[in-house]
Amino acid sequence: QAEDGIRDARSSLVGSEMCIRDRAEPREGEALVKVHACGVCHTDLYTASGADPGGYTPCVLGHEGAGVVEAVGPGVTSVKPGDHVVTLFSPECGTCVHCTSGKTNLCMAIREEQGKGHLPDGTTRFSRDGEPLRHFMGTSTFSEYVVMPEIALANVRKDAAMEAICLLACGATTGLAAAMWKAEVEPGSTVAVFGAGMVGLGALLGAKMRGAERLIAVDLSPRRLELAERFGATDTIVAGDGGEVEKILEMTGGFGADFTFEATGLVSVMGQAVEAARMGWGLCTVLGVAGKGEKMEIVPRFLITGRRVQGGSFGGARGRTHVPQLVDLYAEGKLDLDGFVSHRITLDQVNHGFELMEKQDGIRSVILFD
């Protein structure tokens, strides 16, 4: 399935190269962005593989981008040509019922058309040989230029390296925000993170920044666990023998962790993250995306005895509000994003980026367009 996914991703990449010549200009409420850097995220391969229940073709993949605004359409006020921006698959209009509720980061303003691969007016700005190509997650950053809705662009400071801050468009923010703003990890608490990939490492770093005292990382790869220690893990557990929960209970006096985070997308691990949460008040935050038709099973007594479970799309971050704050922390030397960048590649090497991901070689490959 991974090989099929890579072949499908290659087809999408051809589309992105062609549509550079065929792109349309921004319309009402839109901006044209020249992409300078883009992370290669597992979600791109997940969709290309056919496992994504909401996937569609043909489309231009990519969603973890940073670039410079080249032009804007009528009515655009929050960005202007020359501004540096991070692309957002999770927009923030600030006026819909969800944005004004203060209870969620899931903006409803353009959700329906975005889910179809369209821009808000129901059309696309990409084409190949005169045929429309759909947008991916409203972003499609495996392209030198993208047209995006104004409300899906975070305006950020210009002195931050784009190869680092592009990771805040998805993976890094998902983990960081989940710990900092969704779960609101408390000082002195114990945290267990299942999965030491990009999202899991972000959760570790966010929990550390929130003042967690004990940080337990769980992963199949000893090499990934070494990276976890760099990002704050005080304890590590090599997974695979089925005893991960028991080890966490032993480390916590039999009670479990105050906060747990699942960052693998495996439903079996989601169940472990719930079980490893502390009896009485433990909070489990599920960040991974499961495959089509898969279901998470929870033993009822874990909930009856006080454990709580929540999801966290984009880690609960409100993109235009929180991403600039994270960029500021990075630029001020308070947030290590450079450590996430393990490989620098070009656009025509995107399939190599997927291969590195499958091999768990490094944390994140970043496409550089300049």
Side-chain angles (χ1 to χ4, degrees):
Q1 186 181 58
E3 291 178 356
D4 290 341
I6 290 172
R7 283 195 292 270
D8 290 342
R10 184 179 293 115
S11 297
S12 294
L13 176 59
V14 171
S16 70
E17 290 171 336
M18 294 294 288
C19 70
I20 291 170
R21 295 196 296 272
D22 298 343
R23 73 176 190 271
E25 295 303 312
R27 301 179 185 175
E28 180 83 24
E30 299 173 353
L32 172 67
V33 177
K34 185 181 190 303
V35 181
H36 285 254
C38 178
V40 180
C41 179
H42 188 272
T43 304
D44 300 306
L45 182 57
Y46 171 70
T47 297
S49 72
D52 183 356
Y56 42 76
T57 59
C59 72
V60 181
L61 295 175
H63 64 288
E64 207 169 69
V68 178
V69 175
E70 292 249 325
V72 298
V76 173
T77 59
S78 64
V79 295
K80 63 184 183 301
D83 284 346
H84 288 207
V85 293
V86 173
T87 62
L88 302 171
F89 72 88
S90 182
E92 182 186 359
C93 74
T95 58
C96 74
V97 63
H98 276 200
C99 284
T100 57
S101 72
K103 299 177 181 179
T104 179
N105 67 322
L106 297 179
C107 175
M108 301 302 292
I110 61 175
R111 190 175 182 86
E112 183 176 355
E113 291 298 334
Q114 180 177 319
K116 298 175 182 177
H118 300 155
L119 287 178
D121 66 357
T123 65
T124 74
R125 300 294 173 273
F126 288 128
S127 63
R128 178 173 56 188
D129 299 329
E131 295 297 322
L133 287 171
R134 286 197 274 179
H135 299 252
F136 176 65
M137 298 178 69
T139 52
S140 292
T141 47
F142 285 174
S143 176
E144 289 180 298
Y145 291 87
V146 294
V147 174
M148 292 185 57
E150 171 188 17
I151 62 173
L153 294 170
N155 196 336
V156 301
R157 60 196 291 169
K158 296 181 179 180
D159 60 344
M162 289 195 187
E163 69 173 49
I165 65 172
C166 72
L167 306 181
L168 294 172
C170 181
T173 294
T174 297
L176 285 161
M180 296 171 69
W181 297 305
K182 184 68 176 178
E184 297 184 324
V185 169
E186 299 169 353
S189 60
T190 295
V191 174
V193 177
F194 290 78
M198 180 68 167
V199 173
L201 293 175
L204 282 170
L205 185 54
K208 179 182 179 182
M209 294 173 69
R210 288 280 299 187
E213 182 175 320
R214 193 169 192 180
L215 295 161
I216 305 167
V218 184
D219 198 277
L220 290 167
S221 169
R223 184 164 54 177
R224 285 283 180 90
L225 291 174
E226 290 177 5
L227 292 170
E229 291 178 343
R230 170 178 175 175
F231 288 96
T234 58
D235 302 90
T236 59
I237 297 173
V238 179
D241 63 1
E244 296 83 6
V245 173
E246 288 73 15
K247 292 175 182 177
I248 292 173
L249 292 175
E250 289 174 6
M251 292 177 176
T252 56
F255 293 109
D258 300 299
F259 299 90
T260 66
F261 296 88
E262 180 281 324
T264 70
L266 302 173
V267 293
S268 59
V269 178
M270 295 175 188
Q272 290 178 331
V274 174
E275 188 175 355
R278 196 189 198 286
M279 180 177 65
W281 62 73
L283 174 62
C284 171
T285 303
V286 176
L287 301 173
V289 179
K292 183 187 300 185
E294 293 185 320
K295 296 181 179 180
M296 174 183 173
E297 293 186 1
I298 301 176
V299 178
R301 66 180 173 85
F302 294 144
L303 302 182
I304 291 172
T305 51
R307 296 167 183 83
R308 295 168 294 146
V309 184
Q310 65 176 355
S313 176
F314 200 33
R318 288 177 283 122
R320 296 205 290 171
T321 297
H322 288 135
V323 168
Q325 294 176 23
L326 294 174
V327 172
D328 287 345
L329 289 173
Y330 165 71
E332 294 164 5
K334 300 175 183 177
L335 175 60
D336 180 12
L337 295 178
D338 297 315
F340 290 138
V341 181
S342 50
H343 302 281
R344 295 165 179 83
I345 60 177
T346 57
L347 182 58
D348 60 356
Q349 296 175 316
V350 64
N351 289 311
H352 179 55
F354 286 134
E355 291 164 0
L356 291 169
M357 185 190 308
E358 291 293 312
K359 295 176 182 177
Q360 293 193 348
D361 185 338
I363 305 174
R364 191 60 112 229
S365 295
V366 173
I367 299 169
L368 299 178
F369 290 81
D370 301 323

